[in-house]
Each structure stands twice: as structure tokens, then as C-alpha cells.
Amino acid sequence: MKVDIITIFPRMVEAGLAEGVVGRARTGGLIDIVVHNLRDFTTDKHHVVDDVPFGGGPGMVMKPEPFFAALAAISERRGTPDAVVMLTPAGVPFTQAGARRLVGLGHLVLLCGRYEGIDERVREALATEELSIGDYVLSGGEIPALAVVDAVARLVPGVVGDEQSVDADSFTRGLLDYPHYTRPAEFAGRPVPGVLVSGHHGEIRRWRRNAALERTAERRPDLLADAALDADEHEWLSKRSKS
Ligand code: SAM
């Protein structure tokens, strides 16, 4: 899969892409990410990317021309993208289902805003979608872009070593993840649940499923509407909600 990220802080984005799962996926050729400096697509001597807002008011607005030039160059060098994603607090909330949808596309371009945001004509003419990573305002789109790339990259086949670990992640089956434990079996007076050291795989699977259900019902009951539950689990839930 190909990803192009347009930003005025390419070093910040490169630093975030260099480590861990995404860093290994890049060096292993599983994901092809190019970070572009928006200032390289300006035509003036000072590489200006922002200007005052029409109508007045505080802050600066990112100019449209460098984004149009960057998109044209990317399309020419790397092919027409399948999606051009503008990161904005006004976007559709980014979710695990959204990450699964994006990984199905071959080529993404991510546009990182700064200041008061990007000139509206970029949204109208270039963006195919807008994503928000949460109901808070960050000072730029670089951290949101890194969040989107990380969530998408770990779904690319082969990127996460043990495919099962992606399968069991929170949200993947409509439930939060179950609690995890490692050695030692007892720490600070807290033993690991006995079933996990029993060696009984069927019991362990059941315990984990129940723990995931319990945790989801307690913390994110909204997720249960879309979770794939069997008849026993539906019954357990309805008893739980009545008690
Ligand atoms: N004036 C904008 C507003 O109130 O919606 C906020 C602009 S913010 C200071 C600058 C840039 O950060 C945005 O253009 C966007 O790219 C990025 N950004 C900030 N918070 C974000 C979020 N929750 N999700 C996605 N992008 C965000």
C-alpha cells in the first residue's frame, strides 16, 4: 500500500514513522510511505504556506496553491490516489472500521493542516474525505496523520507478526480487548487468574471472551449493538442489564 503525507513538518512525521511496527513495515517494503514538505510546492522566495483570513479574525489560513501543486506532483509521480484525506476536527470520527476500510485502498494521501486550518477550496476540490481523531483540537494534522497511518499499517497483511493479535484487538470483533498478563504468575500480592495458568485452552478462550464482554458492557455498552454475539451471550447481556 502507498501513503503520501503532506505537511510543513516532515521531520516530525518521519520521526513518528521511523520506529516500531510502522518503521519495520517501511524498511521491509510492506508499506511505501513518502512524506512531502508542503513548502517545496510554493513558488515564492520565502516558501510561504499561509495567509491572513478573508473576513478578518485571528490566526492564519493555509493557502490553497501549494496543496494543489503537491497533489498534482504526487499524482504524476506516484499515480492517482484512491483517497485524499484531510485531517480536521470537523471530520468524520476515525474508527477501527475506518482503518479497515482504508487498508482496502491502494493509495492514500493525507493532508495535514496547521494554524486555523486549510483553505476551504482544498476540501472542496481535492479532499475525498475528512477524518477527525477525536473531539479535541491539536495544533496540527501531523499527529492525526500518524495515528491514521499506524492504525492502517498494522492491518496490512504481514505487518503485525502474529496475525491473531490484530484479530483480537479492541474493536475488531465489536468488543474491547480482554485483560493481558505475563510472568511472574504472582506480583505485588496479585496472582494471575488461575484459568490462564491451567493450560486448558478451551477454558482460557471462554474466560477471555467473557472478560472482553464484561469489560465492553461496563465501559462501552454502545459497542455491543454491532458485536457478533451468540444466543448465550445475548441472554447474559439482557440479564446483566436487568440486574
Ligand atoms: N480551526 C480549526 C477548528 O476549530 O476546527 C482547528 C485548526 S487546528 C489548530 C490545525 C490543524 O490541526 C487542523 O487543520 C487539522 O489538520 C489538525 N487537527 C487538529 N485537531 C484535529 C483532530 N482532532 N483530528 C484531526 N485533525 C486535527
Side-chain angles (χ1 to χ4, degrees):
M1 135 168 248
K2 281 193 284 194
V3 181
D4 290 87
I5 304 173
I6 304 174
T7 169
I8 59 167
F9 292 121
R11 279 184 307 174
M12 175 183 176
V13 177
E14 286 287 6
L17 296 173
E19 309 288 339
V21 166
V22 178
R24 282 197 303 278
R26 274 185 102 183
T27 51
L30 292 170
I31 184 159
D32 167 15
I33 308 176
V34 178
V35 182
H36 305 268
N37 187 344
L38 184 69
R39 293 190 195 280
D40 292 344
F41 300 95
T42 53
T43 49
D44 64 303
K45 193 166 89 186
H46 300 291
H47 304 292
V48 174
V49 291
D50 59 323
D51 206 337
V52 294
F54 274 121
M60 300 295 274
V61 176
M62 297 189 89
K63 291 159 68 64
E65 304 95 312
F67 282 102
F68 276 71
L71 240 299
I74 289 168
S75 298
E76 196 182 309
R77 291 178 208 156
R78 311 242 304 149
T80 307
D82 297 306
V84 177
V85 180
M86 180 184 270
L87 283 318
T88 162
V92 172
F94 181 57
T95 60
Q96 190 66 19
R100 273 198 299 277
R101 179 179 57 79
L102 292 182
V103 80
L105 305 178
H107 184 189
L108 302 180
V109 175
L110 304 180
L111 312 179
C112 304
R114 280 271 155 180
Y115 318 118
E116 286 304 318
I118 303 174
D119 185 286
E120 187 68 2
R121 288 160 293 187
V122 173
R123 184 190 69 74
E124 289 168 359
L126 301 182
T128 59
E129 55 188 283
E130 298 163 76
L131 292 178
S132 163
I133 63 157
D135 289 348
Y136 42 81
V137 178
L138 298 168
S139 49
E142 288 73 17
I143 289 170
L146 288 169
V148 169
V149 171
D150 193 293
V152 171
R154 61 199 307 285
L155 299 178
V156 172
V159 166
V160 172
D162 183 352
E163 298 283 341
Q164 279 184 340
S165 91
V166 172
D167 253 24
D169 276 345
S170 291
F171 311 113
T172 301
R173 292 168 191 272
L175 297 179
L176 299 178
D177 199 5
Y178 52 78
H180 296 270
Y181 295 88
T182 186
R183 283 181 286 194
E186 182 164 341
F187 178 70
R190 293 168 186 272
V192 164
V195 62
L196 297 181
V197 292
S198 68
H200 196 300
H201 296 298
E203 292 288 316
I204 292 171
R205 247 196 322 278
R206 239 188 317 281
W207 181 88
R208 285 179 168 164
R209 177 76 186 174
N210 290 342
L213 262 173
E214 183 68 57
R215 182 168 272 191
T216 311
E218 199 179 292
R219 299 182 186 183
R220 292 291 306 276
D222 56 300
L223 296 176
L224 292 169
D226 293 327
L229 305 180
D230 65 23
D232 288 348
E233 290 169 344
H234 276 296
E235 196 184 322
W236 173 83
L237 257 185
S238 79
K239 275 191 194 142
R240 187 184 189 279
S241 62
K242 281 177 202 142
S243 66

